[in-house]
Amino acid sequence: MPEAVTHVGSGKVRELYALDDDRLLLVASDRISTFDVILPTEIPDKGRVLTALSGFWFARTRDLVPNHLLALRDDGRSTECRRLEMLPIECVVRGYLAGSGWKDYVQTGEVCGHRLPEGLVESQQLPLPIFTPATKAETGHDQNIDRAAAIELVGEERFDEVEAVALALYAFVSDYARDRGIILADTKLEFGLDERGGLVLGDEAFTPDSSRFWPADDYSPGATPPSYDKQFVRDYCESLGWNKTAPGPELPEAVVTGTRARYVEAFERLTGIAFGDYVASPSVVIA
Ligand code: PZK
């Protein structure tokens, strides 16, 4: 008998279903977005790679903080997870100055209330990683907020706890990736609370959609490093002179193939696991 599942939410490239009162199913599609627009062409296996990476990191960080992972389904793109009470902030950690962090620094010399040294250049490594929370926007962009604004949303004790845990997770994963030739420039984490009020890591974690991964070989401060996964897509879109509003362009076969290869390469470099082994048996990443 097929289980009855209720669709409870959509992200840009993911779907969320309720399995029962306590469990959700997070399904990662092969859709890809660039410049905030979802493209009409899918990248085969992208959802599997992202699901595999999240599972891999959940298994390796569970002694730092419990997480919502219950099981990976055999399709390789679906995660069964514990239903949590999600905290109303995005928990971003930045080790390098990119994206909105760089923009805020140029305008104010600060990011989320962290006063930074003068004279930093785009993509430069920070003296120490910083916790830079943001509000969760239903539509449009998340807004960076300082410690006081985040404490208004989650309380001071919980703020101090998520900051410490998020920084510890970033330190673990960025060291792991660096040893494999990949820079984790920044990452966005989402936490929730279990029925006893305990802090639990949820959502996806340390995937290319929630993080900036840069190939360490190509890194040079002052430039905009190529994105590990989406650079072919961005370069192709730029070459068209597309105005970056919906609908996005269809991607040619060579861009699709090259981008799929980059996702698979990121997975294999980070995990040391052959992607074919994951497809054959998704639990290999959590074994
Ligand atoms: C939860 N989202 C984001 C929205 C998606 C994902 N373990 C959990 N418990 C309760 N709620 C969530 C989670 C998780 N993860 C995550 N929204 C709620 C989201 C839409 C589609 F795929």
Side-chain angles (χ1 to χ4, degrees):
M1 198 159 82
E3 57 184 342
V5 293
T6 313
H7 185 246
V8 294
S10 293
K12 266 194 295 192
V13 301
R14 299 177 303 158
E15 304 296 335
L16 195 57
Y17 301 87
L19 294 173
D20 56 40
D21 288 352
D22 306 323
R23 297 180 308 142
L24 298 174
L25 190 69
L26 195 53
V27 182
S29 75
D30 290 338
R31 297 193 293 276
I32 186 169
S33 70
T34 191
F35 305 111
D36 282 330
V37 174
I38 299 161
L39 301 181
T41 312
E42 298 194 328
I43 305 300
D45 291 324
K46 172 177 178 280
R48 285 197 182 90
V49 167
L50 269 59
T51 301
L53 276 170
S54 276
F56 179 82
W57 297 121
F58 283 141
R60 278 150 191 82
T61 60
R62 45 181 296 201
D63 294 340
L64 291 174
V65 64
N67 60 67
H68 72 164
L69 172 69
L70 294 171
L72 297 175
R73 292 224 165 155
D74 285 339
D75 64 9
R77 65 174 65 256
S78 308
T79 305
E80 294 180 11
C81 46
R82 296 158 68 187
R83 194 195 284 255
L84 307 170
E85 198 67 54
M86 300 306 288
L87 297 182
I89 56 172
E90 310 274 11
C91 295
V92 178
V93 179
R94 301 171 188 275
Y96 293 75
L97 207 41
S100 69
W102 166 244
K103 288 200 179 87
D104 291 352
Y105 170 75
V106 167
Q107 290 186 357
T108 69
E110 299 185 355
V111 184
C112 298
H114 297 273
R115 164 97 9 214
L116 298 177
E118 287 178 40
L120 297 177
V121 297
E122 185 173 11
S123 312
Q124 191 165 348
Q125 187 170 20
L126 297 170
L128 286 171
I130 53 174
F131 181 63
T132 59
T135 59
K136 290 185 183 182
E138 287 298 316
T139 57
H141 272 130
D142 301 336
Q143 190 189 346
N144 289 338
I145 54 175
D146 65 10
R147 171 183 166 89
I151 285 174
E152 289 294 315
L153 293 168
V154 302
E156 183 166 25
E157 262 195 286
R158 193 65 79 179
F159 177 91
D160 289 341
E161 184 184 15
V162 292
E163 175 176 54
V165 168
L167 288 169
L169 288 167
Y170 177 85
F172 176 83
V173 176
S174 61
D175 284 355
Y176 200 104
R178 193 67 188 75
D179 289 344
R180 289 152 183 86
I182 294 174
I183 292 171
L184 176 64
D186 55 39
T187 195
K188 181 183 83 177
L189 302 168
E190 295 200 31
F191 293 91
L193 306 181
D194 65 18
E195 55 288 337
R196 300 165 56 220
L199 190 69
V200 179
L201 179 62
D203 205 74
E204 60 180 325
F206 303 104
T207 70
D209 277 5
S210 66
S211 313
R212 279 192 182 84
F213 288 117
W214 296 334
D217 283 346
D218 304 349
Y219 172 70
S220 101
T224 312
S227 149
Y228 199 99
D229 49 310
K230 288 182 180 171
Q231 201 57 41
F232 296 142
V233 172
R234 294 203 184 133
D235 290 349
Y236 174 73
C237 289
E238 296 282 12
S239 79
L240 294 175
W242 167 51
N243 68 359
K244 298 173 187 171
T245 63
E250 301 209 34
L251 302 175
E253 186 58 34
V255 172
V256 172
T257 306
T259 301
R260 180 190 177 278
R262 294 289 283 179
Y263 279 106
V264 170
E265 182 185 301
F267 168 78
E268 293 186 336
R269 269 175 89 169
L270 286 167
T271 68
I273 298 169
F275 183 63
D277 290 354
Y278 174 76
V279 173
S281 185
S283 338
V284 290
V285 294
I286 58 179

